[in-house]
Amino acid sequence: MYSLELTKPDGRRLTLYAREPVDPDIVAPSPFAEPLNAHPHLRWHPLRGEWVTYAAYRQGRTFLPPPEYNPLGITTDPAHPTEVPAGNWDVAVFDNRFPSLGPIGEPPSLIVPSAPAVGHCEVVVFTKDAKASLAALPLAHIELLMEVWADRTAVMARRGDIAYVLPFENRGAEVGVTLHHPHGQIYAYPLVPPVPSRMQQEAQRYYEAKGRGVLQDLITAERKASVRMLYEGEHAVAFVPVCARYPYEVWVAPAEPVESFIHLTPDQRSDLARALKTVLLKYEGLWQRPFPYLMAWYQGPTDGKIHPESHLHAEFYPPYRTRDRLKYLAGTEIAAGFFAMDALPEEKARELQQVEVAVE
């Protein structure tokens, strides 16, 4: 993997990644000439015992741009620059112009504790091809993307003020996407956020009691049951989990515990890319149309410690429960956090298992 680091006219960073050396004469464009000069902050939620981030300036972020202008497409007219340049790159990563975490400022004085929103938010442009999708990318390109996720995790970890790095992708208007060029985001948090924190606590408790990882044992059990498996390779698996909270929820993971993208071996990364693409193609083939989802990758904290209890994996949360019906979170789910499923994971696994795909 090759990379080239650049600085945009408004001061933001842009890193270009490729499988071949990147032209060093590439210049970083930006639709914005001046820095944003805005600072998010955190406020403490005393009833939930967690932080909430506030970035009111995000109301002005790019929303449904005109069809002739793609902010994530390559710049073709210098008079109307986009976020990325033309050139021989494959994946681009740049600082989010409207971050929820980032530039540190003085937090306001309130009736609850407040703090600077330390952290970092990045946009990851998966490909220059605006008409592509993650599912349509070649396996070698998906492997490169995983190397990019590893590199960004390492870069954030070296800062010293980052506790957790979360790569994710929102796909489809049904989950609120307004820019449809294939892309994802990376959030780097100053603490382990509530959801991965709870997962980390359970993983630590299980590891201390069993000497093994909880996801490691779940994968072993899922492979043995062989009812919900969608992909089973030498180094990676994909399956509808027995405890799925969404009808078409799927998990993708290395077969053996790997703490983060940084720790993947080439063989593991290759098979993990194949497992990921298999799931994406099954989603696309299920109803023969683009399939919306939230894909989140969970990995170990970036606190400099060894985390044998952690197990890198992706969780997919698709918004549909049937071909033409969305799953809306109900009162029990939003208010109580107690999920209620009206479809069995085994039924949805069978639907996805029946979708034949060719992974190349």
Side-chain angles (χ1 to χ4, degrees):
M1 181 179 73
Y2 296 86
S3 65
L4 176 67
E5 294 188 11
L6 301 168
T7 301
K8 289 172 168 287
D10 60 351
R12 290 178 296 143
R13 291 169 295 178
L14 167 69
T15 306
L16 304 176
Y17 294 89
R19 285 161 288 187
E20 303 291 339
V22 183
D23 180 1
D25 295 326
I26 291 177
V27 176
S30 175
F32 311 96
E34 301 296 331
L36 180 60
N37 288 326
H39 307 283
H41 67 275
L42 305 179
R43 300 184 184 187
W44 183 249
H45 193 305
L47 273 65
R48 296 180 63 94
E50 60 190 33
W51 290 102
V52 181
T53 184
Y54 291 83
Y57 54 84
R58 281 175 51 81
Q59 291 286 357
R61 66 187 184 273
T62 305
F63 179 79
L64 293 177
E68 65 273 13
Y69 179 71
N70 174 9
L72 302 183
I74 61 173
T75 296
T76 56
D77 180 1
H80 299 90
T82 67
E83 291 284 12
V84 295
N88 63 328
W89 55 269
D90 297 305
V91 177
V93 179
F94 61 86
D95 294 346
N96 195 323
R97 171 69 181 187
F98 302 99
S100 297
L101 302 164
I104 300 176
E106 187 66 27
S109 178
L110 302 163
I111 62 172
V112 294
S114 63
V118 176
H120 198 71
C121 299
E122 296 182 328
V123 177
V124 183
V125 181
F126 294 159
T127 171
K128 288 179 285 189
D129 186 356
K131 296 182 179 179
S133 66
L134 187 53
L137 298 178
L139 280 171
H141 197 120
I142 296 176
E143 287 186 52
L144 174 65
L145 177 59
M146 290 186 175
E147 289 189 78
V148 171
W149 284 332
D151 186 61
R152 302 318 301 170
T153 299
V155 168
M156 293 298 106
R158 286 197 293 269
R159 285 182 37 158
D161 59 351
I162 298 299
Y164 198 84
V165 179
L166 179 76
F168 64 93
E169 179 196 8
N170 292 318
R171 183 174 188 238
E174 295 89 341
V175 295
V177 174
T178 59
L179 298 177
H180 298 290
H181 191 114
H183 74 287
Q185 299 184 61
I186 297 175
Y187 272 35
Y189 301 89
L191 45 80
V192 182
V195 170
S197 176
R198 175 70 182 274
M199 294 167 63
Q200 193 67 25
Q201 290 169 8
E202 288 300 306
Q204 183 65 44
R205 180 190 62 78
Y206 190 96
Y207 189 84
E208 290 174 355
K210 306 279 189 176
R212 301 182 304 278
V214 59
L215 181 52
Q216 178 184 16
D217 279 358
L218 180 61
I219 289 172
T220 299
E222 288 283 9
R223 297 178 80 167
K224 185 177 180 180
S226 194
V227 175
R228 292 166 293 273
M229 300 299 298
L230 302 181
Y231 176 86
E232 190 169 3
E234 182 179 359
H235 300 288
V237 295
F239 56 95
V240 176
V242 66
C243 52
R245 300 183 304 162
Y246 290 79
Y248 292 98
E249 182 174 338
V250 173
W251 295 2
V252 180
E256 295 297 321
V258 175
E259 183 177 329
S260 73
F261 281 109
I262 298 172
H263 298 83
L264 286 171
T265 68
D267 287 342
Q268 288 174 320
R269 185 167 53 245
S270 176
D271 205 21
L272 193 61
R274 183 172 290 274
L276 175 59
K277 180 158 184 172
T278 297
V279 171
L280 294 169
L281 290 176
K282 282 182 175 290
Y283 277 158
E284 298 292 279
L286 182 62
W287 297 319
Q288 296 298 307
R289 71 187 194 210
F291 195 88
Y293 56 75
L294 163 62
M295 173 186 69
W297 283 92
Y298 296 102
Q299 48 186 346
T302 55
D303 55 7
K305 300 177 183 178
I306 298 175
H307 288 279
E309 76 284 356
S310 296
H311 196 142
L312 170 70
H313 71 286
E315 296 188 11
F316 281 87
Y317 310 128
Y320 278 99
R321 55 190 177 94
T322 67
R323 177 188 291 269
D324 55 4
R325 295 182 180 180
L326 290 168
K327 173 182 171 54
Y328 296 101
L329 294 186
T332 181
E333 293 162 328
I334 294 178
F338 201 104
F339 273 68
M341 274 279 281
D342 51 10
L344 293 177
E346 295 75 27
E347 295 172 354
K348 298 304 180 181
R350 280 194 293 271
E351 290 183 40
L352 291 169
Q353 288 166 347
Q354 291 168 5
V355 180
E356 296 186 4
V357 298
V359 181
E360 299 176 358

